[in-house]
Amino acid sequence: MNIKNFINDKYVEPISGDWLDNYCPANGEIYGKLPNSSKDDVEEAYKAAKEAFPLWSQTTLDERSRILIRISELLEASLDRFAEAESKDNGKPISLAKSVDIPRAASNFRFFGNAITQFASESHESVGQQAVNYTLRQPLGVVGCISPWNLPLYLFTWKIAPALAAGNCVVAKPSEITPMTAYMLGEICNEAGLPKGVLNIVHGLGKTTGQAIVEHPDIKAISFTGGTTTGAHIAKKAAPMFKKLSLELGGKNPNIIFKDCDYDEMLHTTLRSSFSNQGQICLCGSRIFVEESLYKKFKKDFVEKVKQLKVGHPSEKATDIGALVSKQHLEKVLSYIEIAKKEDNTILCGGNQIIIEGYENGYYMQPTVIEVINDECSINQEEIFGPVVTIMPFKTEEEVLQMANKVKYGLSATLWTNDLRRTMRMTQALQAGIVWVNTWMLRDLRTPFGGVKASGIGREGGFEALRFFTEPKNICIKY
Ligand code: NDP
């Protein structure tokens, strides 16, 4: 099946006639094509967005909100169809696509459809000067949204929904590796009555299509989620044009376990925070630190549980771990196992590719636990972004805090303890944009989301996203 670009409410072929192959990670087969879009396609998308902007930016909040909520309802009504497509395109278990990815994409539209009606700006009376100040929050114009492959529709809509709610028109590019559900979204937007040109979706490679969006002189802002190296490259390209940037980048998140935690809940959640979505979530707790007196028990119980996880075809009900997203990515993750061995770490379980009968060319890998001898080894410092976690013991709070913070990333951290004072000390000292205590990935869409250090700049979520997608203008009136 051929995926097409969605420009000015029509599905169109790439101007150049160039196509890319779309692979199914579960069996390694090509099952369709997608446009290898060029600068010219991006220009067409930009023109459509520019033309749509005057009307969309002046559309009442009630009407914008109604359309976004309608998109959300239509997505919910198409849950099965979208979940099947997401699972096939990405390799993730269908159960996950059904319970997390697609419901969350629908929530993104519903949430921002409602949030825009509550988005207030400031006013200040300049007492004694007979003046009043108020702030307008104006949409930016045409904005660019670029998203990765791990949570395809979830992250694509996490950007698009607030951008549209705030009155912008959008040129968006999903990852070339997982284009399917973004393609399907066009139809839903038409059915919901989104005016033509307000959302334009261009498919293609990052280094050409993505870069053309970043380099477009009249695209006012870029909201990007992806790798840290790509983020730095985008920042460099965008800087001379003074583009507004939101960069959500990589993570190497600590999961810190103290002896006084609720053990069973911690064990169950740690299994999830390590291997959900094949470990391909920027928030996964890939570095597990365990208090020394609990370490031996944890190691035994955790490894036992990991060995019971079922790796299988994404469409099978019993599957816990599906396929990795691509052959190249599987090779990259496996290369870290070799590095781990060279650095004298111990593979406690997993570490190999798995061949599944009937799907011999799929990209499957065993969930892997590696005991590391020191926190500074490569596999404890670099983002692997696959079903691989490290474990090591710690003696004191000070020691674990130092190790937790001693990475270039700072996206999230998880802390397991029932000690309130320790919780207060550590949550303040951990270098991360998000800290979970006694839970993981419990998300409230009103809260700010993003990282520090090499995990990015800016925050998404709630009013932070609406602030990013609007320009504040102060008006001062003397009376
Ligand atoms: P990439 O950085 O490779 O790609 C992300 C997106 O950017 C893709 O659409 C990609 O296109 C595009 N792109 C690549 N190069 C350029 C360029 N020069 N200019 C413009 N766009 C470009 O990341 P991955 O897709 O591999 O995603 C995995 C990464 O994303 C991990 O590091 C992960 O931690 C991070 N991530 C961060 C999250 C966060 O919220 N902080 C959430 C989820 C993931 P193409 O696919 O064609 O390369």
Side-chain angles (χ1 to χ4, degrees):
M1 179 202 170
N2 281 5
I3 281 170
K4 292 183 184 151
N5 290 332
F6 180 73
I7 298 177
N8 228 0
D9 88 2
K10 303 266 178 314
Y11 283 113
V12 293
E13 298 197 349
I15 294 167
S16 65
D18 279 354
W19 299 85
L20 301 163
D21 292 328
N22 194 18
Y23 288 84
C24 172
N27 58 22
E29 285 168 14
I30 295 170
Y31 77 106
K33 299 212 171 287
L34 66 142
N36 185 7
S37 302
S38 67
K39 227 174 161 175
D40 297 337
D41 299 293
V42 170
E43 187 57 34
E44 286 303 302
Y46 167 75
K47 277 194 214 146
K50 186 184 170 204
E51 207 166 300
F53 179 69
L55 195 63
W56 182 244
S57 57
Q58 290 306 311
T59 299
T60 62
L61 295 187
D62 256 8
E63 178 64 0
R64 265 191 240 154
S65 170
R66 194 189 62 75
I67 293 172
L68 294 192
I69 290 169
R70 184 73 189 126
I71 296 174
S72 161
E73 290 164 352
L74 291 169
L75 268 175
E76 275 164 355
S78 313
L79 173 70
D80 289 347
R81 196 164 60 87
F82 271 75
E84 272 162 34
E86 198 74 302
S87 169
K88 185 170 181 179
D89 214 22
N90 171 279
K92 67 177 69 211
I94 181 113
S95 52
L96 193 69
K98 258 189 200 171
S99 60
V100 176
D101 291 77
I102 309 307
R104 173 56 193 276
S107 297
N108 288 339
F109 281 107
R110 175 169 289 109
F111 175 82
F112 285 108
N114 285 316
I116 194 62
T117 65
Q118 307 293 319
F119 185 43
S121 57
E122 296 176 357
S123 75
H124 304 273
E125 191 184 354
S126 300
V127 177
Q129 294 174 300
Q130 283 78 47
V132 67
N133 292 270
Y134 64 91
T135 307
L136 293 179
R137 280 271 168 191
Q138 296 178 308
L140 303 174
V142 179
V143 299
C145 299
I146 302 176
S147 56
W149 48 257
N150 62 328
L151 301 166
L153 196 65
Y154 177 130
L155 290 175
F156 191 65
T157 54
W158 179 233
K159 299 178 174 305
I160 287 168
L164 298 179
N168 301 283
C169 292
V170 174
V171 176
K173 188 194 96 65
S175 170
E176 152 261 321
I177 304 167
T178 52
M180 186 53 88
T181 47
Y183 164 70
M184 291 161 65
L185 184 67
E187 214 177 277
I188 295 254
C189 290
N190 280 350
E191 199 182 333
L194 189 73
K196 71 173 184 177
V198 171
L199 171 64
N200 304 277
I201 303 168
V202 191
H203 298 273
L205 297 169
K207 56 180 193 272
T208 48
T209 319
Q211 191 139 324
I213 296 174
V214 172
E215 288 180 339
H216 197 291
D218 298 314
I219 291 182
K220 304 279 189 243
I222 301 290
S223 173
F224 170 82
T225 299
T228 292
T229 312
T230 318
H233 177 77
I234 287 175
K236 223 186 241 175
K237 293 274 169 202
M241 290 175 275
F242 305 102
K243 261 180 212 211
K244 228 175 163 182
L245 282 185
S246 170
L247 303 174
E248 299 292 341
L249 310 176
K252 188 75 182 176
N253 311 303
N255 179 6
I256 303 167
I257 299 164
F258 282 91
K259 193 171 175 231
D260 68 352
C261 69
D262 293 333
Y263 188 78
D264 292 344
E265 199 180 333
M266 176 280 295
L267 195 62
H268 171 76
T269 307
T270 295
L271 210 61
R272 245 179 5 99
S273 67
S274 302
F275 299 112
S276 279
N277 206 39
Q278 296 69 248
Q280 301 166 142
I281 302 182
C282 53
L283 302 164
C284 278
S286 50
R287 292 183 294 148
I288 303 175
F289 298 102
V290 187
E291 195 169 7
E292 203 170 37
S293 52
L294 186 69
Y295 186 69
K296 217 166 137 196
K297 175 174 166 53
F298 172 81
K299 180 167 128 180
K300 181 173 165 294
D301 293 347
F302 185 58
V303 169
E304 216 164 83
K305 286 227 178 277
V306 173
K307 283 182 178 164
Q308 287 164 14
L309 291 173
K310 180 159 171 17
V311 180
H313 192 277
S315 68
E316 279 166 21
K317 250 193 171 158
T319 294
D320 297 305
I321 300 196
L324 270 66
V325 77
S326 69
K327 189 163 184 282
Q328 292 80 344
H329 189 59
L330 171 66
E331 283 164 2
K332 180 193 145 192
V333 175
L334 287 170
S335 76
Y336 275 104
I337 307 297
E338 294 315 308
I339 294 173
K341 288 179 190 160
K342 271 193 203 129
E343 290 184 345
D344 288 335
N345 300 300
T346 310
I347 315 291
L348 298 175
C349 64
N352 299 304
Q353 184 176 357
I354 300 187
I355 305 296
I356 294 189
E357 211 187 315
Y359 309 108
E360 285 76 5
N361 294 322
Y363 317 133
Y364 300 94
M365 181 180 170
Q366 294 169 323
T368 303
V369 182
I370 305 175
E371 184 172 50
V372 291
I373 48 173
N374 82 63
D375 67 297
E376 291 187 37
C377 60
S378 319
I379 52 160
N380 228 30
Q381 292 289 317
E382 291 170 28
E383 186 185 40
I384 301 175
F385 214 58
V388 180
V389 291
T390 64
I391 65 170
M392 70 176 290
F394 67 87
K395 284 195 177 69
T396 64
E397 187 180 311
E398 294 69 31
E399 182 197 12
V400 75
L401 197 54
Q402 205 196 12
M403 293 194 291
N405 286 341
K406 214 196 303 160
V407 286
K408 69 176 180 177
Y409 299 105
L411 188 56
S412 72
T414 303
L415 180 62
W416 290 94
T417 182
N418 278 310
D419 181 328
L420 180 60
R421 289 183 179 162
R422 172 189 289 143
T423 301
M424 298 310 287
R425 282 192 301 270
M426 291 201 61
T427 49
Q428 290 182 36
L430 282 163
Q431 296 169 358
I434 305 140
V435 182
W436 280 293
V437 182
N438 299 332
T439 185
W440 177 73
M441 210 154 160
L442 199 163
R443 291 278 300 120
D444 181 324
L445 302 192
R446 291 168 299 182
T447 59
F449 178 89
V452 298
K453 304 198 286 188
S455 291
I457 49 170
R459 291 291 181 275
E460 296 183 340
F463 292 148
E464 295 289 341
L466 296 176
R467 283 188 198 105
F468 174 76
F469 284 116
T470 52
E471 196 70 74
K473 181 193 281 176
N474 189 66
I475 317 285
C476 177
I477 301 178
K478 186 154 169 73
Y479 55 86

